[in-house]
Amino acid sequence: AVTPDGKFAISASLDKIREVAQEQEKNTLNTHIKVWNLVSGEEKLAIDINYKVNSVAVTQDGNFAIFASADNTLKVWDLFSREEKFILKGHSGSINAVAVTPDTKLAVSASNDNTLKVWDLFSRREIATFAGESEIKCCAIAPDNLTIVAGEVSGRLHFLRLQGAEVQS
């Protein structure tokens, strides 16, 4: 993901770590989150987490990243304090993609459970769900904060319009 001001990029890479302890071999997954300065090319910060990240979205102000996780949750991180702020739960399958509205009020998640969910980031609640016929692999939000595009593994593309949602400010 690239911050809206175009100055930073956020990457997530999954590494398989092989540990040998007490004659037992154990493989663990570790994800390295890095924030890169696109002007200098230097790494600004790094965070190591112990879950698989499938997608990253960043808020308009560049302060928060939302990670779509294989553990069926969205995790919201403060990039500068390097702290996980909260977790959004509601999917029953791995989350493939996440997008955040330009006004930073809503997040949208696409999942292997055939659903797309809309989340109010202030109340930390799910406010809408769309069910597809197959896994939803990608999602995007238009600059109007209301139009959502979602793509299914079947090849179907959905154009959805968020209406009647009461979003907290």
Side-chain angles (χ1 to χ4, degrees):
V2 176
T3 57
D5 63 8
K7 293 180 181 176
F8 299 96
I10 302 166
S11 65
S13 64
L14 184 66
D15 294 333
K16 190 175 188 179
I17 299 171
R18 184 176 162 198
E19 299 173 6
V20 179
Q22 299 175 346
E23 297 181 19
Q24 283 187 321
E25 218 176 274
K26 179 177 147 187
N27 290 323
T28 58
L29 296 178
N30 195 33
T31 300
H32 303 292
I33 304 297
K34 294 188 178 187
V35 177
W36 301 91
N37 182 318
L38 292 176
V39 176
S40 68
E42 295 177 358
E43 181 182 307
K44 181 179 176 183
L45 68 90
I47 304 168
D48 287 334
I49 53 179
N50 61 356
Y51 48 84
K52 182 181 175 193
V53 172
N54 294 325
S55 179
V56 179
V58 64
T59 58
Q60 186 71 23
D61 60 11
N63 292 332
F64 295 92
I66 304 170
F67 301 126
S69 177
D71 71 0
N72 311 345
T73 66
L74 290 173
K75 295 177 172 61
V76 179
W77 277 75
D78 182 319
L79 291 174
F80 298 100
S81 71
R82 300 179 189 191
E83 295 178 355
E84 184 177 275
K85 289 301 186 182
F86 57 91
I87 298 172
L88 300 171
K89 298 178 182 179
H91 283 289
S92 62
S94 179
I95 302 175
N96 299 313
V98 61
V100 63
T101 55
D103 66 5
T104 311
K105 292 181 179 180
L106 303 176
V108 176
S109 55
S111 174
N112 283 350
D113 66 7
N114 300 1
T115 66
L116 179 131
K117 293 187 181 287
V118 180
W119 306 87
D120 181 323
L121 292 174
F122 293 101
S123 69
R124 302 177 186 178
R125 293 181 313 128
E126 175 187 326
I127 61 170
T129 299
F130 169 79
E133 293 181 20
S134 61
E135 295 175 10
I136 300 180
K137 291 295 188 182
C138 58
C139 60
I141 304 170
D144 67 5
N145 292 315
L146 299 173
T147 305
I148 300 167
V149 182
E152 288 189 37
V153 72
S154 67
R156 288 183 186 90
L157 194 59
H158 301 279
F159 296 88
L160 309 168
R161 184 125 175 110
L162 193 58
Q163 295 179 343
E166 293 184 25
V167 180
Q168 294 187 8
S169 298

